[in-house]
Amino acid sequence: MPETGPTQAQATAAPRRRPRLALVVGSGGIKCVAAVGMWKVLQREGIRPDLVVGCSGGSLYTASMALGMDANEAERVSHHMWDGLFKRVHYRSVLRGLLPSRFGGSERIGLIDDRAVAANMRGLYGDATFAETRIPLHIAATDLHSGEKVDIVSGRVADAVRASIAMPLLLRPWPVGGRLLIDGGASDPLPISVAIREGADIILAMGFETPPVERLDSLIGVAGQSISTTINHLLRATYAFYSAVHHAEIIPIMPTFDQPIGVSDTHLIPHIIEQGERATLEALPYLRRLGLAASAEGTV
């Protein structure tokens, strides 16, 4: 029997699917404002994530993005959101922690009066739920009792973010879904694994290393240096591991800072945003080659 040629359907090549893009922003305190710089670049280029994952301070920005906030609005909000956030001490928690037998011990202890945090949560997210997001949203937290990673995907967005930013000792653990949760950075400071599990082809992963302090002259300074060193090594190991074993493109976006930046350094917010933008621009040519930018939408 003579060979027949391809059918019309076979001859017409199927259009290439646009890669499924996930955006992951890890823990980093006020340095997470750098996500606004990344957001600006992606917005200008017409690069739209199909999934956003936030951890700790990063959850503030991925949640805002998922609910449809504009990058310029996020920048405006950031300038007053962080100001004075950690200045008021929660004296009752301090007394409970130091003298539990007299003032009543509690699992929900935090040294910082979190009323300003609660006001920010209300202003940013109101009563919005995960069901109302425009982009699928995942918020990473940690179970206080078991230490397990927790991926929050339902309920009130404000509660999820509040749990994810509950830095141990500073902010009170937060109840979500019958579990008492703390900072997502305690179990996974850069939750790339969530994006992998959700089937992302390309993962933009913004993580934050902390440069070493040259002079250590206090107990708190030594403790902070130790924690920063641990997290820095964990971030590098996370990038290396998932890049080696997973088929997805994992693109690190690592803003660089030449000095430690604390939560009270709000005057550095413009610089932090600029560094986030700069780090994203370095990756932009590759993102264009991958067919993510609006100029490449003919391949979608």
Side-chain angles (χ1 to χ4, degrees):
M1 179 181 293
E3 293 184 3
T4 58
T7 65
Q8 180 65 32
Q10 292 171 326
T12 304
R16 184 158 61 91
R17 176 181 67 88
R18 184 177 72 85
R20 179 170 167 77
L21 172 67
L23 176 63
V24 179
V25 183
S27 63
I30 197 172
K31 295 192 293 294
C32 293
V33 182
V36 174
M38 174 170 60
W39 192 348
K40 283 184 170 185
V41 174
L42 300 183
Q43 199 167 269
R44 287 198 302 263
E45 292 291 322
I47 299 175
R48 300 183 300 273
D50 302 290
L51 167 76
V52 288
V53 183
C55 176
S56 193
S59 69
L60 291 163
Y61 294 98
T62 55
S64 298
M65 182 183 295
L67 288 168
M69 185 182 285
D70 176 84
N72 294 320
E73 175 67 7
E75 179 176 15
R76 185 190 68 78
V77 167
S78 292
H79 281 281
H80 68 79
M81 179 177 69
W82 290 91
D83 191 37
L85 207 57
F86 300 99
K87 287 184 178 178
R88 297 183 63 177
V89 175
H90 194 289
Y91 290 104
R92 186 166 183 82
S93 278
V94 174
L95 292 172
R96 281 178 169 177
L98 294 176
L99 302 167
S101 60
R102 181 171 179 182
F103 293 95
S106 172
E107 296 176 322
R108 299 194 63 201
I109 293 176
L111 300 181
I112 301 301
D113 185 329
D114 60 1
R115 281 178 287 185
V117 176
N120 277 329
M121 296 297 101
R122 288 193 300 270
L124 284 170
Y125 315 117
D127 290 321
T129 67
F130 279 77
E132 298 172 64
T133 59
R134 301 182 185 183
I135 305 170
L137 170 67
H138 293 251
I139 299 295
T142 305
D143 188 299
L144 174 63
H145 294 110
S146 68
E148 294 175 330
K149 302 176 186 179
V150 179
D151 179 20
I152 309 174
V153 294
S154 62
R156 293 176 70 247
V157 172
D159 285 329
V161 175
R162 175 60 181 82
S164 187
I165 65 173
M167 293 178 284
L169 296 182
L170 290 182
L171 291 177
R172 292 182 299 158
W174 201 253
V176 175
R179 308 173 84 170
L180 199 55
L181 305 180
I182 60 171
D183 199 311
S187 56
D188 189 354
L190 190 63
I192 292 173
S193 58
V194 174
I196 290 174
R197 189 195 64 219
E198 294 300 311
D201 302 303
I202 300 171
I203 301 169
L204 284 181
M206 175 172 271
F208 304 93
E209 290 191 358
T210 300
V213 178
E214 292 183 2
R215 182 177 177 181
L216 297 172
D217 53 6
S218 71
L219 211 57
I220 292 176
V222 172
Q225 182 91 313
S226 301
I227 293 170
S228 296
T229 300
T230 301
I231 291 176
N232 288 348
H233 284 296
L234 184 56
L235 280 176
R236 295 170 195 153
T238 298
Y239 278 128
F241 175 76
Y242 286 118
S243 296
V245 304
H246 192 256
H247 69 277
E249 290 275 359
I250 299 174
I251 302 170
I253 307 292
M254 298 284 286
T256 56
F257 304 99
D258 56 8
Q259 63 183 40
I261 298 176
V263 292
S264 62
D265 292 329
T266 54
H267 63 287
L268 294 175
I269 283 178
H271 171 65
I272 296 169
I273 292 174
E274 181 184 343
Q275 292 303 100
E277 190 169 358
R278 180 175 298 175
T280 310
L281 286 172
E282 290 176 1
L284 185 57
Y286 187 53
L287 297 179
R288 287 171 173 164
R289 289 199 299 273
L290 291 172
L292 292 174
S295 59
E297 283 190 348
T299 64
V300 175

